[in-house]
Amino acid sequence: MSGVCSFYEADSSSPPAVSLPPGLIPTHKASIMMFLERVYGIEDQATFFRILEDAILPDLRAATTLDIQVNASENDMALALNRYIGSCVLPILTNYSHFFSDADHASALLDSTLNTVYRLSKCQSLTKGQMDAVSNFLISFTNQLRPPMMTKLLRKLTHDVPVLNENTVIPLRVLTSYYERCGRYYSVGGWGSYGSATEEEKRLTMMLFTGIFDALAQRSYDPELFSKALPCLSAIGCALSPDYSLSNHDDHWLQDSSEDFNGSYNPQPVDTGRIKLNQNYDVTINRFAEHFHDCWAIKKIDQGWVFGTNYDDERKTHPKLKPYHLLDEESKSKYMSPIKENLKVMLYWGWSLEQDQARLQANRESMRRRMSKDGAHHGYSPKPFDLRNMTLTREIQALAERLAENSHDLWAKTKKQELEEIGGGVHPQLVPYDTLTDKEKRKVRDHAQELLKFLQFQGYRLNSSDTDINQQRRKSGSRPSKDKNSDGVGVSATEKRFAYSLLEKLLGYFDNASSNLMETRPSSRFSRRGSYSTASEDVKFFAKVVLPFVKKYYHAHKDYFVGKAGSSTSSSLASVKEKEMTASLFCKLAATLRTKITAFGHDVNISVRCLQVLVKAVDARSVVKNSPEMVRASLLPFFNNAADDLAQVVDNLNKGRFSHVKGTITRGATSLDYVHMVLLPVLSSMFDHLGAHNFGPDLIVGDAQLACYRILNSLYCLGTSNNVIINRDTILSELSRHRPALGECLSSFASCFPVAFLEPERNKFNRNSLMYGIEEEKLAEHSLEAQGNLRKWVD
């Protein structure tokens, strides 16, 4: 394990570079930074990035380290550093955030800055103003980044955000801004020049949504936290394509996070204690150790260094500038230990190394050796193999990055133990790998990449177990139609869709909330102890999260549920089951609102808006064609209930039961408030939707048509009421105030009704009319109420 430290301590004799004189404290730095920025400004991107990397990023990382390693609330230096960052550094970075756009050449620096500031947001010693500065910068920063650069941060957020504590408020704001801006990137068609999201990015998005949604459902209602989580939930849900199916992948990063929820860094390198290397690797290990020593030596010689018995930075003498076989065993071990460790880690991750002698011989004949520009020094002329022109595949590059991160974690674990043994302390690089700068990552990254190139040069074929499985599947050409879930039950491709799983959850929450609302006693509104304000947690979650989310989700993906085959708006359409579930959601919410409108309180308005959006996502033609039982059990009762409620209101007005109409005795579906607040908006939206898609001939037939006739009659009676029938000025004024809404509902009704209701004598020639070909033997096909009315019309 000690050999891993050689990456960071190979040149430990040279003094570390500092960006500012050691005498400057945070207060001095703040004055200098503000003076330079206000007087000279930052003119170009290169200068901005140089200041960020050399002066600002080390201070940001120091603040996170001090907050965790020491009691920052009692440490004057930590508090001063926080003030300097919150009042000076972050505002400057926010003002110049436009420099972060079109900066692909500095992607490593941007990645390090993003992860460092996110880690800073978890610090417990920050004040509210400083937290706001962190939040504002992260939002401005991420608004300039290309979506693929957010992948590493999304991996962390899938682990951190579902906890939903005080540290998740900033990530929720950042995610909301990001997904609102980049929503089209995750859709089917992609987002312009950025293209479309990769499989991993979509998977992370779905995991984020599921984690936040489930966490909100399981915790008690917190107004501040829920107000931040709901926009984030809606932005993520509206961004992800409804037909996306979650696939199985190796999410090792999710379980093996080296960072706690509070931001403390606990390095967790791979435990390779049980991995044993074959002796066949010994020759390769010795050869690479010599090769890597020669690579280091040739760089030193080209920089003017020479051999010397003692290390001298001024004279540029180094005692290790000699052939590898002349080094002592301790120096050789520092080269060989990290090589062995990396090979063990590769075997632990399921990689196989198979050597091909023919490939090795071909590489030796074609490979050249590098030579020093200055020739031999004291008889030593290092000649490493020139592997600079060898290229690594994307998969091998990802492996090199994982090996570099594991090497850093291994070094950090050792360094942390050493500091604990001497009573504690801090180290500038004792931070997560992704917060290191590109210069700091270069040593471990170059070693990992050079090792993988050398293995391929030695004729080794590197194969991952996941790659082998995918290749076997492609060769076999078999694509199973169903996967197996945890219970061994077959799961179809439709059931794996994001929209399908979401609708299943929503229906479950609807059922739970509806059952709890039904248990509330009607008389409890007259009792302070039995007030509706003491609703259960699932009812609060239903009203504060489910209903607003459903409204935004169906508004964003309406075309998915009612789009036509071959339309340009969507390449995939909802399945029949998803359309049935949407209709079921609408009917259940409408029935619950009608039965217990008083239990909704101030949430009636959002419930009505949710119904208006839901009904516009119902594919009536598909539901009628594929699920006639749902029409009879859900949609037809909705029409009948609306007709009954309107008829009862008209009857109460004609008979002078004004206490019933105003809801003084029983406030419910027979009051004018229910008609004006719920029925008129929902019916208008439904009729508009049916007319726009020509669903009237499919749905408004049979008994549903009869109910619509009754609705038409009641609406006309309400719209033409006058003081001759009603002698209450308050009711007349209320009816007059809502008469425009009545007119809109009637016009919407006329646009979708498939029968010429103003010319009833022509209905017997209309195939969509109840009167078409009516005969005595066909009357039995309708309900008893319909039979009575039809006999009157026939007579």
Side-chain angles (χ1 to χ4, degrees):
M1 188 177 294
S2 61
V4 181
C5 299
S6 61
F7 292 128
Y8 295 101
E9 298 169 1
D11 300 328
S12 57
S13 302
S14 58
V18 293
S19 57
L20 290 172
L24 289 178
I25 61 176
T27 305
H28 299 159
K29 289 185 178 182
S31 302
I32 294 175
M33 287 284 291
M34 294 178 69
F35 171 78
L36 293 176
E37 190 270 333
R38 292 178 180 178
V39 175
Y40 298 100
I42 303 176
E43 297 181 353
D44 53 65
Q45 189 183 63
T47 303
F48 177 73
F49 284 162
R50 187 171 70 252
I51 295 173
L52 174 62
E53 183 174 7
D54 297 337
I56 295 179
L57 200 56
D59 289 336
L60 294 174
R61 205 164 61 192
T64 61
T65 305
L66 289 175
D67 185 86
I68 297 167
Q69 299 293 337
V70 301
N71 189 357
S73 60
E74 299 178 0
N75 187 284
D76 293 338
M77 179 59 69
L79 294 178
L81 193 58
N82 289 345
R83 289 193 295 270
Y84 159 62
I85 292 174
S87 61
C88 177
V89 172
L90 293 178
I92 291 177
L93 292 180
T94 303
N95 293 335
Y96 290 92
S97 60
H98 59 275
F99 283 133
F100 291 116
S101 63
D102 299 328
D104 294 346
H105 60 284
S107 58
L109 176 62
L110 301 187
D111 185 65
S112 178
T113 303
L114 179 62
N115 287 281
T116 302
V117 178
Y118 170 65
R119 192 163 179 253
L120 180 68
S121 68
K122 299 181 180 181
C123 292
Q124 303 295 323
S125 59
L126 296 180
T127 63
K128 186 179 183 303
Q130 293 163 0
M131 294 289 285
D132 291 340
V134 173
S135 178
N136 294 334
F137 167 69
L138 280 175
I139 292 175
S140 301
F141 182 30
T142 53
N143 284 339
Q144 304 296 330
L145 297 181
R146 294 187 303 108
M149 298 191 67
M150 289 286 292
T151 303
K152 291 184 178 180
L153 181 61
L154 292 180
R155 291 177 180 175
K156 287 186 175 183
L157 296 179
T158 54
H159 182 264
D160 295 347
V161 172
V163 180
L164 290 183
N165 54 19
E166 62 277 3
N167 291 332
T168 59
V169 175
I170 292 179
L172 288 174
R173 286 191 60 193
V174 173
L175 287 174
T176 303
S177 174
Y178 169 71
Y179 279 104
E180 287 178 350
R181 181 179 71 95
C182 305
R184 287 183 295 169
Y185 177 71
Y186 294 88
S187 61
V188 177
W191 187 24
S193 60
Y194 293 116
S196 58
T198 62
E199 176 67 23
E200 181 185 8
E201 290 171 324
K202 293 180 179 179
R203 185 173 76 258
L204 292 172
T205 301
M206 185 170 179
M207 293 172 65
L208 269 173
F209 176 86
T210 304
I212 297 173
F213 196 87
D214 293 343
L216 289 175
Q218 294 171 4
R219 65 175 295 131
S220 58
Y221 178 65
D222 182 355
E224 182 178 0
L225 185 60
F226 275 48
S227 65
K228 298 291 189 302
L230 179 59
C232 179
L233 196 69
S234 302
I236 296 175
C238 295
L240 190 61
S241 178
D243 62 340
Y244 170 71
S245 299
L246 182 62
S247 56
N248 296 322
H249 286 266
D250 180 22
D251 296 328
H252 60 89
W253 44 266
L254 187 60
Q255 292 83 13
D256 300 334
S257 176
S258 60
E259 197 169 351
D260 292 342
F261 296 118
N262 59 0
S264 60
Y265 174 50
N266 296 316
Q268 298 177 0
V270 175
D271 184 7
T272 58
R274 298 183 180 180
I275 305 296
K276 302 298 181 182
L277 290 178
N278 195 315
Q279 293 181 354
N280 298 332
Y281 295 125
D282 291 345
V283 176
T284 303
I285 292 173
N286 285 321
R287 287 177 178 174
F288 179 71
E290 181 177 359
H291 164 77
F292 199 72
H293 172 71
D294 288 348
C295 289
W296 169 82
I298 203 171
K299 290 179 182 178
K300 283 291 186 182
I301 292 174
D302 290 343
Q303 293 172 1
W305 289 73
V306 295
F307 172 78
T309 55
N310 296 319
Y311 178 88
D312 193 326
D313 188 35
E314 294 181 358
R315 297 181 180 180
K316 291 188 176 182
T317 59
H318 204 295
K320 293 182 180 180
L321 276 176
K322 55 185 177 181
Y324 177 77
H325 66 276
L326 297 180
L327 296 176
D328 54 26
E329 293 301 321
E330 182 180 357
S331 299
K332 291 181 180 180
S333 177
K334 287 186 177 181
Y335 280 109
M336 297 175 65
S337 293
I339 304 172
K340 294 179 180 179
E341 189 66 26
N342 282 336
L343 291 177
K344 290 181 180 180
V345 171
M346 291 173 62
L347 297 175
Y348 179 87
W349 285 338
W351 287 79
S352 62
L353 289 78
E354 301 175 358
Q355 192 173 28
D356 186 351
Q357 294 297 330
R359 188 180 180 186
L360 171 62
Q361 186 64 28
N363 290 339
R364 284 182 174 178
E365 294 176 357
S366 60
M367 187 62 64
R368 298 181 179 180
R369 289 181 177 269
R370 296 168 57 188
M371 298 289 293
S372 174
K373 297 178 182 179
D374 299 332
H377 281 257
H378 301 279
Y380 174 46
S381 177
K383 298 179 180 179
F385 294 103
D386 191 358
L387 307 179
R388 292 174 294 183
N389 292 328
M390 288 188 66
T391 58
L392 299 176
T393 64
R394 184 173 299 180
E395 188 178 16
I396 300 300
Q397 288 178 351
L399 173 62
E401 195 69 15
R402 290 183 65 187
L403 289 173
E405 183 175 0
N406 185 78
S407 299
H408 172 74
D409 288 343
L410 188 60
W411 168 85
K413 185 177 181 179
T414 305
K415 178 60 67 175
K416 198 170 184 179
Q417 292 173 352
E418 293 176 357
L419 292 176
E420 290 176 354
E421 291 175 357
I422 62 176
V426 295
H427 191 281
Q429 294 183 10
L430 201 58
V431 292
Y433 177 78
D434 49 22
T435 62
L436 296 175
T437 63
D438 191 52
K439 293 179 181 178
E440 295 166 338
K441 292 179 182 178
R442 192 170 299 160
K443 292 181 180 180
V444 287
R445 181 188 289 160
D446 289 350
H447 182 272
Q449 292 179 352
E450 193 73 13
L451 173 60
L452 295 177
K453 288 181 180 180
F454 190 82
L455 289 175
Q456 292 181 337
F457 165 70
Q458 291 293 313
Y460 283 94
R461 298 184 183 275
L462 309 180
N463 296 314
S464 172
S465 57
D466 295 338
T467 305
D468 295 339
I469 294 174
N470 294 333
Q471 289 178 352
Q472 291 176 4
R473 287 179 177 176
R474 285 195 292 267
K475 289 179 181 179
S476 63
S478 61
R479 277 179 58 183
S481 59
K482 290 187 176 182
D483 296 332
K484 298 291 185 179
N485 61 9
S486 58
D487 299 329
V489 181
V491 180
S492 65
T494 301
E495 294 174 349
K496 293 173 62 180
R497 288 182 177 183
F498 172 63
Y500 188 95
S501 59
L502 175 61
L503 287 172
E504 280 189 328
K505 284 187 177 183
L506 293 177
L507 283 172
Y509 291 127
F510 268 66
D511 292 337
N512 292 336
S514 299
S515 61
N516 288 332
L517 285 171
M518 293 301 179
E519 294 176 359
T520 309
R521 296 173 300 167
S523 61
S524 62
R525 70 188 185 93
F526 295 106
S527 171
R528 293 182 179 179
R529 296 184 179 180
S531 173
Y532 287 124
S533 61
T534 58
S536 59
E537 294 299 333
D538 54 351
V539 173
K540 291 182 179 179
F541 173 72
F542 171 76
K544 304 299 183 183
V545 176
V546 174
L547 292 179
F549 170 75
V550 167
K551 172 183 171 294
K552 293 186 178 181
Y553 181 78
Y554 275 96
H555 179 75
H557 298 297
K558 178 181 63 176
D559 292 337
Y560 172 76
F561 294 96
V562 295
K564 297 180 181 179
S567 63
S568 59
T569 56
S570 178
S571 61
S572 179
L573 299 177
S575 63
V576 174
K577 183 61 178 176
E578 289 170 326
K579 295 179 180 181
E580 293 176 0
M581 295 164 80
T582 301
S584 179
L585 277 176
F586 169 76
C587 296
K588 286 185 176 182
L589 178 57
T592 304
L593 186 60
R594 176 180 180 269
T595 307
K596 288 290 183 181
I597 184 174
T598 49
F600 281 83
H602 296 290
D603 299 318
V604 171
N605 292 330
I606 184 60
S607 303
V608 172
R609 292 196 296 270
C610 181
L611 283 172
Q612 290 179 283
V613 174
L614 263 176
V615 75
K616 292 183 178 180
V618 175
D619 190 346
R621 181 174 293 118
S622 176
V623 173
V624 171
K625 179 181 178 181
N626 298 286
S627 305
E629 66 281 355
M630 172 172 285
V631 177
R632 291 191 298 268
S634 300
L635 289 174
L636 182 57
F638 169 78
F639 285 108
N640 288 332
N641 290 335
D644 292 340
D645 296 338
L646 288 170
Q648 187 63 45
V649 171
V650 173
D651 185 62
N652 289 335
L653 286 173
N654 292 333
K655 294 180 179 180
R657 298 173 182 170
F658 302 121
S659 57
H660 292 74
V661 174
K662 293 293 292 181
T664 306
I665 296 179
T666 31
R667 180 169 310 198
T670 59
S671 65
L672 278 179
D673 286 341
Y674 174 77
V675 172
H676 294 151
M677 292 175 61
V678 180
L679 271 186
L680 289 182
V682 174
L683 288 176
S684 297
S685 298
M686 169 177 274
F687 293 143
D688 283 337
H689 172 64
L690 297 180
H693 295 273
N694 197 25
F695 289 154
D698 300 289
L699 183 60
I700 308 180
V701 293
D703 292 346
Q705 188 177 119
L706 177 63
C708 287
Y709 268 118
R710 297 176 58 205
I711 292 174
L712 172 64
N713 182 62
S714 299
L715 291 177
Y716 181 77
C717 293
L718 288 176
T720 57
S721 299
N722 51 42
N723 55 4
V724 177
I725 302 174
I726 304 172
N727 56 3
R728 291 291 180 91
D729 294 338
T730 55
I731 296 179
L732 284 174
S733 62
E734 186 174 353
L735 288 172
S736 177
R737 188 170 67 252
H738 292 91
R739 189 165 285 118
L742 279 168
E744 291 179 5
C745 187
L746 285 172
S747 64
S748 302
F749 176 87
S751 68
C752 72
F753 204 55
V755 177
F757 56 89
L758 295 180
E759 298 175 321
E761 66 277 2
R762 300 182 183 275
N763 290 342
K764 59 183 179 180
F765 303 108
N766 189 341
R767 292 181 179 272
N768 298 319
S769 174
L770 284 168
M771 301 300 297
Y772 178 76
I774 194 66
E775 296 177 1
E776 187 66 28
E777 58 270 14
K778 290 187 177 181
L779 290 176
E781 298 178 0
H782 301 281
S783 63
L784 295 177
E785 182 182 9
Q787 292 178 26
N789 290 323
L790 288 175
R791 285 195 178 95
K792 294 179 181 178
W793 290 346
V794 171
D795 296 340

